Amino acid sequence: MNPSLYIVIPCYNEQEVLPITAPMFLEKLRSLSAAGKISDESRVLFVNDGSKDKTWEIIRGLAAADPHYLGICQSRNRGHQNAVLAGLMEAKDRCDITISIDCDGQDDINAMDAMVDAYLAGCDVVYGVRSSRETDTFFKRATAQGFYKFLSGMGAEVVYNHADYRLISSRVLQEFANFKEVNLFLRGLIPLVGFKSTTVEYARAERLAGKSHYPLKKMIGLAVDGITSLSVKPLRLITGFGVFVAFFSFIGCLWALITALCGKAVAGWASMTCIVCFVSGVQLICLGIIGEYIGKIYLETKGRPRYIISERSWEERDRQASAPKAGERGPEGS
Ligand code: UDP
Ligand code: MG
């Protein structure tokens, strides 16, 4: 039997682009189904990430018009990573494979054919990798490439130029459900689950409408999350740097001692001030890095839910349907 596919799409304030891209996703689902690669039980699952515009109304309208569209709504905005997670966790028990993709049309949906082919050939995870970034602005390209280089320099290994366009089988998702961390960095965590994986290249286009939600500040936040989630290398660098400074401090002590013993000690205000400023600056940076990890531990210990779903598009129809028998509930039965 052909596998069922759920396309998981996070949406935050996307009222401009959703009406353009939603039919494209459905069309892709139909063409994959017509090619005999996936079953007709496949769905397009939108995750409304607490949008303030008409995104959820649009999703509900789509779900009412065609049963192949489904939508879930988060109780508030929780960020892209949590929105993708919510969709994947919702989908994992309903299908055989998921493909997560942004809703703005930037990622080439035609790469899904190759992804499903790779799944049918035995891969459980297929990473979509951008073959070029020609359509990105110079700034976006430079920051994104810097992002990957910085991550790998800090010991956080990720698939280069892979964002969150990927196929994951439900059995990998079942295992991934045991990763309980709130500091989410999916593109670094999924490889940790293991299983057979491969990559599929695709060209990155421009946003079809609307504007990006990832300015430089958020990119830096994501990089920090990625590093603290995957690596303790910054802490080791601090230790290494501490040893380095301690070595020169030792030489400095010897020098000061010998100078004093030779009776040549003079008031060295400038050198003293420089050393104090330098060392205290370094100490503050180190404290900040350690604090970043402590902050992450603090958040992890609380164990708060990573997402809260306030509404599901099929629930309303379920409610309206007359007395459904146990076991018949669910999106397919709606
Ligand atoms: N997104 C989300 N929650 C957020 C921010 C973004 O669900 O808080 C979604 C957004 O709707 C889009 C995807 O994440 O589908 C990627 O966002 P965007 O296209 O703005 O990022 P960029 O491609 O510019 O890096
Ligand atoms: Mg985008």
Side-chain angles (χ1 to χ4, degrees), residues 50-306:
S51 301
K52 294 175 181 66
D53 64 2
K54 301 230 173 308
T55 300
W56 180 236
E57 283 75 14
I58 295 171
I59 294 172
R60 277 188 11 186
L62 290 166
D66 191 313
H68 288 94
Y69 288 121
L70 301 173
I72 56 175
C73 184
Q74 295 223 76
S75 59
R76 53 160 292 166
N77 177 252
R78 283 172 189 268
H80 174 218
Q81 298 290 290
N82 296 63
V84 175
L85 178 77
L88 294 178
M89 291 300 112
E90 190 71 24
K92 77 179 190 326
D93 299 317
R94 306 179 193 279
C95 62
D96 301 307
I97 34 176
T98 60
I99 294 181
S100 52
I101 185 169
D102 294 348
C103 74
D104 55 10
Q106 283 195 277
D107 300 326
D108 180 11
I109 54 172
N110 293 320
M112 287 188 192
D113 296 67
M115 287 183 172
V116 174
D117 286 344
Y119 169 79
L120 295 172
C123 289
D124 276 284
V125 184
V126 186
Y127 301 102
V129 172
R130 291 165 194 176
S131 52
S132 76
R133 283 184 172 269
E134 275 152 26
T135 53
D136 278 354
T137 61
F138 171 76
F139 180 74
K140 181 83 191 177
R141 195 162 56 231
T143 50
Q145 281 169 353
F147 173 83
Y148 288 103
K149 295 215 168 90
F150 184 57
L151 278 182
S152 76
M154 285 293 136
E157 283 309 323
V158 286
V159 178
Y160 188 68
N161 262 343
H162 161 68
D164 283 294
Y165 184 19
R166 74 177 83 76
L167 176 148
I168 313 178
S169 72
S170 63
R171 76 170 173 147
V172 169
L173 288 175
Q174 300 294 349
E175 299 301 333
F176 184 60
N178 297 321
F179 286 55
K180 302 287 185 199
E181 52 220 88
V182 294
N183 184 21
L184 264 190
F185 187 64
L186 293 172
R187 68 189 82 169
L189 292 175
I190 298 294
L192 297 182
V193 185
F195 291 88
K196 193 171 171 200
S197 68
T198 187
T199 57
V200 163
E201 290 208 348
Y202 69 94
R204 171 93 161 160
E206 277 174 43
R207 226 176 203 281
L208 293 179
K211 58 178 185 354
S212 169
H213 305 92
Y214 267 97
L216 183 62
K217 194 171 146 217
K218 270 204 189 174
M219 287 276 283
I220 293 172
L222 190 65
V224 170
D225 279 353
I227 294 162
T228 51
S229 158
L230 298 173
S231 162
V232 289
K233 193 162 175 186
L235 296 177
R236 298 220 174 100
L237 285 178
I238 289 175
T239 313
F241 194 70
V243 171
F244 180 77
V245 171
F247 175 73
F248 281 101
S249 305
F250 177 68
I251 293 181
C253 286
L254 279 184
W255 170 71
L257 206 65
I258 292 167
T259 315
L261 287 177
C262 297
K264 290 182 189 162
V266 285
W269 180 84
S271 59
M272 199 54 76
T273 308
C274 288
I275 291 168
V276 170
C277 290
F278 174 73
V279 173
S280 52
V282 167
Q283 276 181 341
L284 281 180
I285 293 173
C286 296
L287 271 179
I289 295 173
I290 296 167
E292 188 65 37
Y293 279 90
I294 294 175
K296 291 285 153 65
I297 297 168
Y298 175 64
L299 292 177
E300 294 296 341
T301 54
K302 286 173 189 276
R304 286 181 181 157
R306 295 175 291 179

